[in-house]
Amino acid sequence: MQKNLVIVESPAKAKTLEKFLGKDYKVMSSYGHIRDLKKKEMSVSLDDFSPKYEIPSDKEAVVKELKAQANKAETVWLASDEDREGEAISWHLSQVLGLDPKAAKRIVFHEITKTAILEAIKTPRTIDMGLVNAQQARRVLDRIVGFKLSPVLWKKIKPSLSAGRVQSVAVRLIVEREKEIENFTSESSYKVNAIFCIDDQLIKASLSKGFKTEEEAEEFLNSCKDRQFEITDIEKKPVKKFPAPPFTTSTLQQEAARKLGFTVAQTMMVAQHLYESGHITYMRTDSVNLSSLCINTTKDEIIAIHGEKYSKPRQFHTNSKGAQEAHEAIRPTYISNHEIEGTAQEKKLYDLIWKRTIACQMAEAEAEKTTITINDEFVATGEVITFDGFIRVYRESVDDDTQVEETDGLLPAVNIGDKLKMNEIVATQRFTQHPLRYTEASLVKKLEELGIGRPSTYAPTISTIQQREYVEKGDKKGEEHTYGIMKLANGKIKKSSKKEIFGNEKGKLLPTDIGTVVNDFLIQYFPEIIDYNFTASVEKDFDEIAEGRENWQEMMKDFYGKLEPMISSTMQEKNEHKVGERMLGVEPGTGKPVSVKIGRFGPMVQIGVADEEEKPRFAQLKKGQSIQSLTLEEAIELFKLPRVLGEFENETITIGTGRFGPYVLHDKKYVSIPKEIDPMEIDFEGAVALIEEKRKNEAASHIKAFEEDSELEVMNGRFGPYLKYKGANYKLPKALAADPSALTYEQCIEVINNPQPAASKPARRGRTAKKA
């Protein structure tokens, strides 16, 4: 009989644990959640909001094996992660395996080290139902929002749309930022810089004020022609620079994006691998606390590498809105490991975490800042680092939208009253810049500031809004500006102009037409559901439930009581125009109305109306066009299809567009034109290439047909060979799938009469296999 069975979420974590536990312990993985709400139904009772769980088909084999091993073991240890999601996994395991939650041995550790694991086994606890109920509350509430709001979107906007509580708020932030940019009016002003000289040494200085107009700037330059310049003030003061706190989930995602170019999801995947391999502490945390062991070992490491004066042990405190989960910050498990074995990405992220942890326990950097004032108007600043401190190891990068005070290096030694020679004074026209669009990292920062979401939700939220095509990541070309320059030198003012690209942005989150329309609709009809403060207050309710101070089913009752009346009134409301529809005018010649809206297959232009005898015509918008800004002229241009390109194999090639988008029509067969190809620009050779590519793909997908039954065919699909028969697909057993072209008619009929269970998808490792 097996003495001990330890159950964790992921195989990687299980493998690491096995290194530290002896032969008396068997470690198994649950591959994330083993139970969940049913996929195709709400699975929540609206009477008491109790969830209806099921074991998904792809987890049945895992559960069967876990049950078998649990029955053999004297003691079962539930070792899922130490947070709400992990606690819920342990609770589901206790339910399915028949363990008493009050007696089950629950062990937690925020780092996978031998010391931490053995200590956890010495001090097991029971399942924390507060954390379990907080997770259930989030899951049930999000399921209610999704299943109740989505049908409203289907009816009012377009089929297949879906709504999510946190996701919709994230989309709102991005849409509102885009509208700010659209409504932004750039203003110009003149900034004045000067170069002075003393004893052949240059001093660069800036005028402490700007000018709104060219005339004002020119008047100032004229006043400087015969002016004498001298030092009117010198201020020297010591300044200290302090290191940033150790990483939380949010700050790691932001810094990895800025320094390593990682997406939020990529950072979490790599961090999870590092955690499961025992290299770092748990990667979902909003705490900046460090253990006394970490502080002491880091101190020893700093002294050994850099010397005593570089050590400055300190403890940080969490101030973020709604912070929860009593973990440590993200840090290396062994600070003495300067490097690790792993992939290139794992090495880079570990290096970032290691340096940040070391730096936060190092002495402040010290500098002497000098400010020189010239004629009480111009200011020159310089800074000299007198002690590098933590900067020797690491300095936090700067946000896109953070203004950094510019300082020159060392300034020349001068005294008050020293006379200066003016080399040149330049007035340059500058334009105010619109608010910057969000990156993944800056969106995480904003969500955290608003108290929306928690460490476990940032990455899935950002992935979801892109998968649903409410938001896309892309570039925005800047506008070309001509700016004026006036330069005073040798007693003369010379005017010139230059061109620059202004407001160029890369890798930003941009709202799609569908995202904008859905957002505007939700704000109009469900303002409370996507209100920032309301969404943050829901997170606080989850925290209260976790602490045992609030009943989660009462919270659901209160929430649903507000949601249901909004849904009923919205569904009953009759709208003259479709949500998001814009009337552009009338078609020249016919006088038919031209409108742009979200159609069944995305943004489209419609000429005519449905209740007329002649059916309306439709055209899909081209890439880069938006229903918000499309003009009547641009809309009419889209109807220049169909285009005839010529003949191929004695059949005409036509380029057209329909409800499913642009296509090539040849020999009564349609070939979709990819999004990146403009149907107005595709030529004869390009169309033929698409036709031949489709033929090739179709030929590759047909492996074998049978004379005995024309409806039976062996096909090749994304997941390998399968049988297609009378509109249904049948999975092939492994033995037959090895050589599908050799299958006999009898073997195929045997498979159809004894169908295989659906292929189970391998669970993603660890937490990524859990539901958000």
Side-chain angles (χ1 to χ4, degrees):
M1 186 167 184
Q2 178 70 46
K3 281 191 176 181
N4 298 280
L5 173 65
V6 181
I7 305 176
V8 296
E9 295 115 313
S10 77
K13 191 174 176 183
K15 192 175 178 182
T16 308
L17 253 67
E18 281 176 340
K19 294 178 189 174
F20 305 126
L21 299 171
K23 56 182 174 54
D24 290 337
Y25 290 84
K26 182 177 179 66
V27 186
M28 293 184 69
S29 168
S30 69
Y31 295 84
H33 276 287
I34 58 162
R35 284 202 312 183
D36 196 8
L37 301 173
K38 294 178 181 178
K39 276 190 177 180
K40 294 185 179 178
E41 54 187 80
M42 188 159 68
S43 298
V44 175
S45 166
L46 294 177
D47 296 325
D48 60 359
F49 302 98
S50 57
K52 299 169 187 174
Y53 295 112
E54 69 169 1
I55 298 170
S57 58
D58 62 337
K59 287 298 177 73
E60 286 173 357
V62 173
V63 170
K64 185 179 179 181
E65 184 61 22
L66 287 172
K67 280 183 177 179
Q69 295 299 327
N71 289 334
K72 292 180 190 175
E74 291 179 14
T75 307
V76 177
W77 305 81
L78 302 175
S80 49
D81 292 335
E82 186 189 11
D83 60 8
R84 295 171 190 174
E85 202 77 25
E87 206 69 21
I89 287 176
S90 281
W91 178 71
H92 283 296
L93 283 165
S94 73
Q95 298 291 294
V96 171
L97 301 181
L99 307 174
D100 182 355
K102 294 178 181 176
K105 291 193 181 293
R106 172 83 171 105
I107 55 172
V108 292
F109 35 83
H110 60 265
E111 63 183 36
I112 305 178
T113 61
K114 187 169 186 177
T115 305
I117 292 160
L118 296 180
E119 183 60 33
I121 286 174
K122 284 182 196 172
T123 56
R125 61 170 173 80
T126 57
I127 292 172
D128 186 332
M129 289 308 297
L131 293 178
V132 173
N133 288 335
Q135 189 273 345
Q136 288 197 101
R138 179 187 291 280
R139 190 82 181 93
V140 168
L141 188 144
D142 288 346
R143 179 56 71 98
I144 289 172
V145 170
F147 269 74
K148 286 290 183 179
L149 266 188
S150 297
V152 181
L153 299 180
W154 302 343
K155 181 180 178 182
K156 299 290 183 178
I157 301 176
K158 124 187 210 321
S160 302
L161 294 178
S162 54
R165 185 179 55 86
V166 176
Q167 294 95 319
S168 296
V169 175
V171 173
R172 179 182 178 181
L173 281 168
I174 293 164
V175 170
E176 289 186 344
R177 177 57 57 88
E178 198 67 27
K179 288 180 178 178
E180 279 181 65
I181 293 167
E182 287 169 6
N183 297 328
F184 179 81
T185 303
S186 183
E187 295 179 355
S188 76
S189 61
Y190 281 80
K191 184 179 179 181
V192 179
N193 295 298
I195 299 177
F196 299 99
C197 181
I198 182 170
D199 298 332
D200 295 327
Q201 294 187 77
L202 301 181
I203 299 176
K204 294 178 182 179
S206 300
L207 191 67
S208 53
K209 66 175 182 177
F211 299 101
K212 285 192 173 182
T213 66
E214 180 182 345
E215 290 74 24
E216 289 174 341
E218 187 172 4
E219 184 182 341
F220 175 77
L221 291 185
N222 276 317
S223 73
C224 294
K225 284 181 178 178
D226 302 316
R227 192 183 300 185
Q228 296 299 311
F229 294 95
E230 65 177 51
I231 307 291
T232 51
D233 188 38
I234 300 172
E235 183 185 17
K236 290 187 178 183
K237 63 177 181 180
V239 292
K240 285 190 175 184
K241 300 177 186 291
F242 294 86
F247 282 129
T248 62
T249 302
S250 165
T251 54
L252 178 63
Q253 289 169 348
Q254 293 169 52
E255 193 74 339
R258 291 191 291 256
K259 284 195 169 175
L260 306 179
F262 286 7
T263 64
V264 168
Q266 188 180 11
T267 298
M268 293 313 292
M269 179 186 71
V270 176
Q272 182 153 328
H273 291 170
L274 291 174
Y275 166 66
E276 290 173 347
S277 301
H279 296 310
I280 63 169
T281 53
Y282 192 52
M283 67 288 162
R284 286 187 176 84
T285 176
D286 46 21
S287 169
V288 290
N289 298 323
L290 292 173
S291 67
S292 55
L293 176 64
C294 171
I295 291 172
N296 291 332
T297 54
T298 303
K299 176 185 175 182
D300 294 341
E301 196 71 19
I302 292 166
I303 292 171
I305 301 170
H306 303 291
E308 187 87 40
K309 66 178 181 177
Y310 280 91
S311 172
K312 178 69 180 290
R314 55 170 72 79
Q315 184 61 275
F316 293 87
H317 299 285
T318 303
N319 297 314
S320 63
K321 191 173 179 180
Q324 50 116 20
E325 317 288 23
H327 298 132
E328 271 192 88
I330 303 169
R331 62 165 176 82
T333 49
Y334 301 103
I335 202 72
S336 57
N337 290 344
H338 297 197
E339 296 176 351
I340 59 157
E341 291 297 317
T343 65
Q345 290 181 341
E346 287 168 2
K347 287 178 178 179
K348 286 179 183 177
L349 193 64
Y350 180 82
D351 183 63
L352 197 69
I353 294 166
W354 186 87
K355 284 179 177 174
R356 177 85 160 218
T357 308
I358 284 280
C360 81
Q361 297 300 304
M362 290 178 72
E364 300 90 353
E366 296 174 10
E368 183 180 73
K369 184 177 180 180
T370 303
T371 303
I372 296 174
T373 306
I374 301 163
N375 284 29
D376 296 325
E377 289 181 304
F378 287 95
V379 176
T381 58
E383 188 175 274
V384 179
I385 300 292
T386 54
F387 175 61
D388 56 359
F390 74 93
I391 294 174
R392 175 177 280 210
V393 173
Y394 179 91
R395 182 180 285 188
E396 188 179 26
S397 58
V398 180
D399 287 334
D400 290 342
D401 53 356
T402 301
Q403 295 297 317
V404 180
E405 182 185 355
E406 290 185 17
T407 60
D408 295 311
L410 194 62
L411 290 170
V414 291
N415 299 301
I416 292 176
D418 282 354
K419 305 299 181 187
L420 302 175
K421 178 188 173 186
M422 184 267 289
N423 280 13
E424 64 179 38
I425 301 177
V426 180
T428 307
Q429 188 181 18
R430 295 285 106 193
F431 295 88
T432 52
Q433 191 173 346
H434 62 64
L436 293 173
R437 293 174 174 88
Y438 289 105
T439 60
E440 287 192 2
S442 62
L443 182 62
V444 166
K445 184 180 180 183
K446 186 65 177 178
L447 290 169
E448 187 180 40
E449 284 173 3
L450 293 171
I452 294 167
R454 289 294 181 261
S456 61
T457 65
Y458 302 134
T461 295
I462 288 172
S463 296
T464 299
I465 62 177
Q466 291 179 73
Q467 287 163 5
R468 291 179 176 173
E469 297 185 346
Y470 291 159
V471 169
E472 61 186 8
K473 195 186 292 185
D475 304 337
K476 276 285 184 179
K477 288 183 179 178
E479 297 178 2
E480 188 174 78
H481 276 274
T482 299
Y483 63 96
I485 302 168
M486 287 184 287
K487 181 177 179 180
L488 169 63
N490 301 319
K492 292 181 181 179
I493 295 175
K494 184 180 178 182
K495 293 184 180 181
S496 62
S497 64
K498 286 187 178 180
K499 290 183 178 180
E500 68 175 348
I501 301 297
F502 188 75
N504 202 23
E505 294 186 85
K506 290 190 173 182
K508 296 301 179 77
L509 297 174
L510 312 170
T512 63
D513 279 336
I514 293 173
T516 301
V517 170
V518 168
N519 174 73
D520 293 350
F521 175 78
L522 292 175
I523 285 177
Q524 182 178 349
Y525 293 100
F526 299 91
E528 189 169 334
I529 301 303
I530 62 169
D531 177 76
Y532 299 133
N533 291 329
F534 172 75
T535 309
S537 73
V538 169
E539 296 291 351
K540 288 180 184 174
D541 287 336
F542 292 152
D543 295 343
E544 292 290 305
I545 293 165
E547 295 294 330
R549 292 193 293 264
E550 187 174 339
N551 181 287
W552 76 272
Q553 284 164 308
E554 285 298 316
M555 178 208 167
M556 292 298 113
K557 184 179 178 182
D558 180 58
F559 175 83
Y560 190 65
K562 295 173 184 174
L563 179 64
E564 181 56 35
M566 292 187 223
I567 291 171
S568 299
S569 64
T570 305
M571 289 293 265
Q572 290 166 14
E573 187 171 316
K574 302 290 184 186
N575 301 97
E576 184 181 347
H577 292 292
K578 196 166 183 183
V579 174
E581 183 174 5
R582 280 178 63 227
M583 302 306 296
L584 301 181
V586 295
E587 183 184 26
T590 67
K592 290 182 180 293
V594 181
S595 60
V596 61
K597 59 187 175 182
I598 301 294
R600 187 177 182 86
F601 303 100
M604 66 176 192
V605 176
Q606 176 177 318
I607 297 181
V609 293
D611 53 7
E612 290 181 349
E613 188 176 331
E614 186 181 344
K615 287 184 178 180
R617 289 174 288 147
F618 302 96
Q620 300 291 124
L621 269 64
K622 293 197 295 185
K623 187 174 178 64
Q625 292 183 326
S626 166
I627 64 172
Q628 313 297 322
S629 57
L630 193 77
T631 65
L632 177 64
E633 292 72 22
E634 290 169 335
I636 299 298
E637 188 75 17
L638 295 172
F639 286 87
K640 288 191 174 177
L641 297 176
R643 295 167 53 219
V644 176
L645 297 184
E647 286 196 355
F648 174 59
E649 297 176 347
N650 299 319
E651 295 288 346
T652 301
I653 294 179
T654 304
I655 306 298
T657 186
R659 296 167 69 193
F660 300 94
Y663 58 79
V664 177
L665 175 60
H666 176 258
D667 194 18
K668 299 180 183 178
K669 292 178 183 176
Y670 293 87
V671 183
S672 292
I673 296 176
K675 283 184 179 179
E676 62 272 14
I677 298 177
D678 188 337
M680 300 301 296
E681 294 181 4
I682 188 171
D683 58 15
F684 180 83
E685 288 74 20
V688 169
L690 290 177
I691 293 166
E692 291 180 334
E693 184 183 4
K694 184 176 182 181
R695 288 177 180 175
K696 184 179 176 183
N697 291 339
E698 285 182 347
S701 67
H702 296 269
I703 297 175
K704 188 173 185 178
F706 297 89
E707 290 181 5
E708 294 93 330
D709 192 332
S710 60
E711 289 190 83
L712 175 62
E713 194 167 7
V714 184
M715 304 290 290
N716 193 25
R718 278 179 67 195
F719 304 106
Y722 65 95
L723 298 182
K724 184 176 181 181
Y725 185 61
K726 292 186 176 179
N729 297 337
Y730 297 87
K731 179 189 173 188
L732 286 170
K734 272 188 180 179
L736 298 179
D739 187 6
S741 61
L743 283 171
T744 64
Y745 176 74
E746 290 72 20
Q747 286 174 315
C748 292
I749 295 301
E750 177 70 20
V751 170
I752 291 165
N753 291 334
N754 300 281
Q756 298 281 306
S760 61
K761 295 178 184 176
R764 289 172 288 170
R765 297 171 72 180
R767 177 56 56 86
T768 50
K770 303 176 195 173
K771 298 288 181 184

